[in-house]
Amino acid sequence: MARASGPPAGEPLPAATPPRRPGAPGRRSGPRRGAGVWLLPPWSRAPLLAFRAPAVILAVLGAAAILACASSSAGLFLSSAGAEALHRMAAADCPDATYPTIQGYSEEQLTPSVQEQGRGSMTGAGLPGPYQVLAPESPIRLTGRAASGSAPDAAVNVFYRQDAVDHVRVLSRGPARGLWLPDSLASSLGVRAGQQLRLGKASTIPVAGVYRELSREPVQPYWCSYATLFANTGGSIVLRPLVLATDIGTVNAVQRAQLYGMTNYWVSPIDPTRLTLSSARALNDKQAAAYRAFGSSPPDDLASRLSGTGQLPVFTEQAGLIRSGLRAPVLPIALGGTLLALLLIGAAGSYWADRRAGEVRLLSARGVGPAALAGKAVAELAAPAAVGTLLGWLAAGWLVRSLGPSRYVDPGAPARALLVAGAALVAGLALLALVAGRRARAATEVTIGARRGRLAAVPWELALLAAAGGCYLALRRGQAVVLTRGVAQVNLLVVTFPLLFMAGSAVLLVRLLVLALPAALRRPARRWPAWYLASRRVTAARLVTVILLAAATMPIAVGVYAAGLTQTTQYTLDSKARLFVGGNSSINSVDPLRRTPATDRAGTVVTRYQYASLDGQRVIVLAIDPDTFAATTFWDRRYADQPLATLLDRLRQPSAGGRVPALVVAADAGHTPVQDDQLRITLGHSTEQLTVAGVPRLFPGRRLPLPMLVVDAARLGQVDPHAGTVNELWTRGPVDPAQAAVVAQGARIFDIADLVTVFNVANFLGISWTFGYLSALAALVGLVAIGGLLLYLETRQRSRIAAYALGRRMGLTRATHLRSLLAELGTLLITALVLGTGLAAAAVLLVYRQLNVDPDRPPAPLLTVPTAALIGAGIIVVVITALAAAYAQRAADRTNVAEVLRLGA
């Protein structure tokens, strides 16, 4: 006999339900609404439920971290790029070029009150305590001691800086106060240390010492900003001897004797290695305030603004221009990465709905609507999403500071980046709620008999390809790189076109490829069980396969494209600079240079004749040493149809009829300036008979857009000394040994050309930084693809494990199942590698010729294959395939098969 049901013993009986009045409406069943839903246990306990599913936490945390890193990295990157541009320009100039400086011109004595006014103006503006420099504006005349007849005199420049004598090579010392003379001046005036010099008619001043002339010494960093006082960097300026004053009193004594002008500088030392754009602008404001307090104004002439100390305002302006030029391509790249990361957040919401499928069906059966279920998903996943956002923001800062461009960013940049990451989190949670709600609704409200819409079959990727075609046509009509005040700025279309082209092409090719996959996989599937299982999994869910293939193709394509253009641009810039210089550096002198063991160790000796003509046309003649030339200079096989060794051998060939073999380099590549093999050139007032031994398109040492003839210096006859002769020592190593080799011969150095001085490399950094950031986007998209791969494995794990369990009962071994996983994932990822590489190659071939960052200097863009990027992509694909297969196999081995089969039922 069945026992009557009722409440347990000891519990009160429930209150009787009052009868419903006739005609009174009953309570409708339907979705719960109102704030009361959030107080029920499934919602109030939701923030703790996620911790019971570590896979869900990791998926959401990783997706939120990638989203925060993508959205917050742009501002940090731009701030870091501005700081690095500032550092590059400062490093390319003198060590004290960034020091804040005020200056004033005076023809009167520098009184203590004026000194204190300059010092107080600097410190009062908040700048460090300055040191003082007095530089000449006009010369004075010094009269020496007469050996016989009239006393010799000379026009000299007087210079003062407190510790200047500590940075010269002292030859002899005299009294503590007076003038220090260079050795050549002391010899010509016939004076020694301790003797007197005449200033005008009645005044005298002692010789405090004699030092070695600075033009015969390597330029020290201390003298870099003042090198124009003793080094003829232009090659045609007549320099006066530089006389050093021991103190300001000596300068005033000279001015009392001879009225002459001097420029007074007050210079505040700073540490330029930690500068950012904001701190540099603050220093510029302080320098402007110091000028106002001193009652003066900064110099207006360009030469003063671009040389010496006080150049920080110019550097800041250029760095700001570089950063503003980066903003146009970087922000869309960051936006694209953010949208892709948002898709991963949406996939995480879909993953939550799959993991909570049983609970979602139960709550829906109790009347809970999609909005409340979406709110439950947000309540569960908000905490790990917030943690992931914080980790992504920290990761963005760490990556920018570690990988560059610079480890220094503006003080306010991290806070702004955090605000952007917070906004991205809000958007991500909204998308997560939307996806989770729709997936929850689809799990319980599937329309019976519904068919797939026709819109799903439309190839929408063709719209992307059409947009890419429009961008490419606009790019062909315009310029890929625009120079704004000498700063290279990348056209936005250089980034937009390849992204649209590769995205549209990837989806279209993958769509077509998936249609052919069954036939491609059918043949090996007939032979090997592992391939059979892999082919069944790949073809069973074609939509998922298309998404996964496209997601894996895009990061490979973007990464290889960015690496290809970056390496091509960098190699081309390096080639332009090395073609101009000849090696890493060129030490130039108007004095003869001999080949010695020291010069052979340093590099190769080259003689340049600038005043030569061929049939009335001006040409440049370059006389080289074929024995040491190849080991020193830079060469690319695309410069000529023959190797460099072959061309040099032709210069060594016996001369026919006394004619010297010569290589003819055209002014424009491909246009030969000669019509005959026999040439007669004029060098000053001398002539030389030449025969054409080769016509390379380009050759090292080409500096002017003029035809250049290259000959063996040992076979060239006597040349008129008025042929504009410049002797050069090219070197591929450090510049100091080369300078020492030149000075050891007694030759004077008037110029040093190196890769930095050819053009301001910092002005072209925006190009490599743009593609560097695009490479970072590729890595980010790769993380998104890996996250999607893991979610793909997790969401299909239940059906995979059920099939694995049934297969084991039919004789399937663990090794065969693992091989099937490797075949499945390897097929997809290797296909993505091939497609991505092919799309990147096509995009690079379409764009690279337009990235001629300096059209006035050869060569044209030289395509460079990104071998390291290709090898790295292949290794990453293999590693991810192995790890993902091992993860799926381990999960299948550890899962309770009975529970999976029961839940599936």
Side-chain angles (χ1 to χ4, degrees), residues 138-141 155-157 229-230 237-243:
S138 57
I140 67 168
R141 298 203 71 86
V156 301
N157 287 326
L229 297 175
F230 57 83
I237 301 175
V238 178
L239 295 176
R240 297 181 177 90
L242 187 64
V243 175

Side-chain angles (χ1 to χ4, degrees), residues 55-65 345 348-349 351-352 381-382 384-386 388 429 432:
V56 176
I57 291 180
L58 292 177
V60 176
L61 190 145
I345 289 280
Y351 178 43
W352 174 87
L381 304 179
L429 289 177
L432 186 146

Side-chain angles (χ1 to χ4, degrees), residues 306-472:
L306 298 180
S307 62
T309 59
Q311 297 185 62
L312 187 58
V314 178
F315 293 164
T316 305
E317 181 181 0
Q318 289 293 96
L321 191 60
I322 292 173
R323 188 170 76 171
S324 64
L326 279 171
R327 187 176 290 111
V330 163
L331 292 182
I333 293 173
L335 179 61
T338 301
L339 293 178
L340 290 173
L342 280 173
L343 294 180
L344 187 58
I345 289 280
S350 177
Y351 178 43
W352 174 87
D354 289 334
R355 296 283 297 193
R356 290 279 193 270
E359 185 178 357
V360 167
R361 287 194 293 266
L362 177 60
L363 291 175
S364 297
R366 295 296 182 92
V368 178
L373 291 173
K376 185 177 187 300
V378 172
E380 285 191 26
L381 304 179
V387 174
T389 298
L390 181 61
L391 292 177
W393 172 70
L394 294 174
W398 177 80
L399 287 172
V400 169
R401 289 184 173 90
S402 301
L403 303 180
S406 171
R407 58 184 298 235
Y408 301 106
V409 297
D410 294 315
R416 292 192 295 269
L418 183 59
L419 289 177
V420 174
L425 172 63
V426 174
L429 289 177
L431 180 63
L432 186 146
L434 178 64
V435 173
R438 291 182 63 86
R439 291 280 289 128
R441 180 181 179 183
T444 56
E445 300 180 13
V446 179
T447 303
I448 298 175
R451 293 186 299 176
R452 186 183 179 189
R454 295 181 178 179
L455 292 179
V458 176
W460 294 105
E461 59 272 15
L462 295 180
L464 294 177
L465 291 176
C471 290
Y472 181 70

Side-chain angles (χ1 to χ4, degrees), residues 88-284:
R88 294 285 185 95
M89 286 184 284
D93 212 292
C94 298
D96 54 0
T98 57
Y99 290 4
T101 304
I102 64 172
Q103 66 181 66
Y105 176 76
S106 174
E107 290 186 353
E108 300 177 356
Q109 297 182 31
L110 191 60
T111 61
S113 61
V114 175
Q115 298 179 51
E116 184 56 36
Q117 181 186 3
R119 188 177 298 106
S121 299
M122 299 290 279
T123 56
L127 294 169
Y131 61 83
Q132 198 167 346
V133 176
L134 301 179
E137 287 292 334
S138 57
I140 67 168
R141 298 203 71 86
L142 294 178
T143 304
R145 299 172 64 87
S148 62
S150 61
D153 64 351
V156 301
N157 287 326
V158 178
F159 177 87
Y160 167 76
R161 186 175 170 183
Q162 183 176 356
D163 53 352
V165 178
D166 297 334
H167 296 86
V168 297
R169 181 180 294 186
V170 175
L171 300 180
S172 61
R173 288 182 181 271
R177 300 182 60 182
L179 297 178
W180 280 76
L181 309 183
D183 51 352
S184 59
L185 176 64
S187 176
S188 64
L189 294 180
V191 294
R192 299 189 303 272
Q195 294 182 337
Q196 296 290 319
L197 291 168
R198 286 209 314 269
L199 291 170
K201 297 181 179 180
S203 300
T204 61
I205 194 167
V207 177
V210 178
Y211 70 93
R212 176 141 187 187
E213 189 175 356
L214 291 174
S215 62
R216 297 184 178 274
E217 296 283 332
V219 179
Q220 302 178 34
Y222 177 92
W223 292 106
C224 178
S225 291
Y226 315 103
T228 53
L229 297 175
F230 57 83
N232 189 354
T233 57
S236 59
I237 301 175
V238 178
L239 295 176
R240 297 181 177 90
L242 187 64
V243 175
L244 308 180
T246 56
D247 56 275
I248 294 179
T250 301
V251 176
N252 289 333
V254 174
Q255 282 194 313
R256 281 196 301 269
Q258 297 186 26
L259 183 64
Y260 72 103
M262 298 200 71
T263 302
N264 313 318
Y265 297 91
W266 286 267
V267 184
S268 291
I270 61 170
D271 181 9
T273 60
R274 297 177 177 271
L275 284 177
T276 62
L277 268 182
S278 61
S279 62
R281 286 168 177 155
L283 286 171
N284 294 337

Side-chain angles (χ1 to χ4, degrees), residues 876-904:
I876 291 173
V877 164
V878 172
V879 170
I880 290 176
T881 300
L883 292 179
Y887 168 77
Q889 180 65 44
R890 185 173 182 272
D893 291 336
R894 291 168 60 90
T895 304
N896 188 333
V897 179
E899 181 180 355
V900 172
L901 294 177
R902 183 171 65 252
L903 291 175

